[in-house]
Amino acid sequence: FPKYAEERLREDGFFFIAEVSNNHLSDLERYKKIVLAAKESGAHAVKIQTYSADSLCLQLGKEKHQIRTGPWSGQSYWDLYRSMEVPRSWSLEVRDFAESIGIPIFSSPFSAIDVKFLSENKFSMLKVASGELACPELIDAIIQSNISFMASTGFADKYELDWLTGRLAHNKKSDQLWCLFNCVSNYPSGIEELNISKFNLIGKYCRRIGLSDHSTDSSSVLISLLANAKIFEKHITL
């Protein structure tokens, strides 16, 4: 996957990733239709997520951990993730489908168990979500897997980026970090939330930078291109 992405960057000048997220609505056929839509839209690659509710949080004390704003307001985080989780085997079925139609695919793990599953099944690129960037167990599992990864920095500042790159350097695995994304962790996000100065910060830690975008139009992508971002991840649905 990294070699393919480098080739596309050289030839096209950018690399565009279609993010399925949970837009499959726990429907396998809809899942595959979204992957097909990504291929037909011209995306260079498609990204999925591999997790369980227990990968992300604990059921214990869920009544204290309620979502207070946005479309999922009133739910607990565990109940939300539980309603959206799908069997890990779907990651393999969807991967096989993506390969059959000719679009490369990779995934976001959310625990060491997820990393082990993806590694054993020959995924050659991972993506770390912004909320997981400073999770020692997850990062250590990725380092041990030797799989290249991208990472969003929505919640991260210089302290977390120093921690991440320091951990990689300590293990002599700095080359594993393939790209850092500026990411606004809000759904959907508005152009006024795009922090342009973040590109300058992340560019000090990785030579490939991009935007993981949750807005409903293309303006943030165009602005980020001017800020030297070359890799773009944008949510896709039917």
Side-chain angles (χ1 to χ4, degrees):
F1 192 108
K3 183 179 178 181
Y4 161 78
E6 290 285 1
E7 290 173 351
R8 296 279 64 77
L9 274 171
R10 282 194 300 269
E11 292 187 14
D12 298 337
F14 65 94
F15 190 76
F16 206 96
I17 301 159
E19 155 73 290
V20 177
S21 186
N22 295 296
N23 294 324
H24 49 65
L25 304 181
S26 302
D27 181 325
L28 182 57
E29 291 309 307
R30 177 182 171 87
Y31 206 157
K32 293 178 180 178
K33 286 179 181 178
I34 295 176
V35 172
L36 178 60
K39 168 68 174 179
E40 292 176 341
S41 75
H44 291 109
V46 63
K47 200 210 82 174
I48 60 175
Q49 297 179 345
T50 304
Y51 71 88
S52 66
D54 292 329
S55 297
L56 289 158
C57 57
L58 297 175
Q59 185 177 13
L60 182 68
K62 67 178 185 177
E63 66 280 355
K64 296 181 180 179
H65 300 282
Q66 301 288 314
I67 302 170
R68 294 181 173 83
T69 60
W72 305 293
S73 177
Q75 296 187 63
S76 75
Y77 284 97
W78 192 89
D79 285 334
L80 174 64
Y81 298 137
R82 183 70 170 179
S83 71
M84 296 189 299
E85 70 178 16
V86 298
R88 284 192 178 91
S89 61
W90 283 22
S91 291
L92 305 185
E93 188 161 346
V94 171
R95 177 202 61 190
D96 292 346
F97 175 73
E99 291 178 352
S100 75
I101 62 173
I103 185 168
I105 190 169
F106 64 111
S107 186
S108 283
F110 289 82
S111 71
I113 294 172
D114 303 327
V115 174
K116 184 174 185 290
F117 175 82
L118 294 169
S119 176
E120 289 175 345
N121 286 285
K122 311 304 181 185
F123 279 76
S124 57
M125 178 66 79
L126 303 174
K127 162 75 189 302
V128 176
S130 63
E132 272 59 52
L133 184 138
C135 175
E137 294 84 2
L138 178 65
I139 298 303
D140 286 349
I142 292 174
I143 289 172
Q144 292 166 17
S145 77
N146 290 316
I147 302 174
S148 296
F149 71 99
M150 310 181 198
S152 282
T153 64
F155 296 132
D157 59 14
K158 184 179 183 299
Y159 178 85
E160 284 85 10
L161 291 169
D162 284 341
W163 176 87
L164 173 66
T165 54
R167 209 168 186 91
L168 288 164
H170 177 75
N171 288 278
K172 298 180 173 59
K173 298 290 184 67
S174 295
D175 289 345
Q176 267 186 269
L177 179 59
W178 192 82
C179 173
L180 281 175
F181 290 98
N182 185 1
C183 174
V184 180
S185 300
N186 190 21
Y187 298 81
S189 57
I191 188 66
E192 70 280 357
E193 297 174 275
L194 181 61
N195 183 1
I196 295 295
S197 64
K198 191 70 172 283
F199 289 112
N200 183 54
L201 173 64
I202 64 177
K204 296 176 181 178
Y205 292 89
C206 188
R207 66 186 181 90
R208 302 179 199 88
I209 63 172
L211 175 72
S212 181
D213 185 53
H214 309 130
S215 65
T216 55
D217 61 24
S218 60
S219 55
S220 57
V221 171
L222 296 173
I223 292 170
S224 300
L225 188 64
L226 296 175
N228 206 36
K230 295 291 189 294
I231 299 98
F232 302 97
E233 179 188 62
K234 206 161 173 61
H235 285 225
I236 185 171
T237 190
L238 300 177

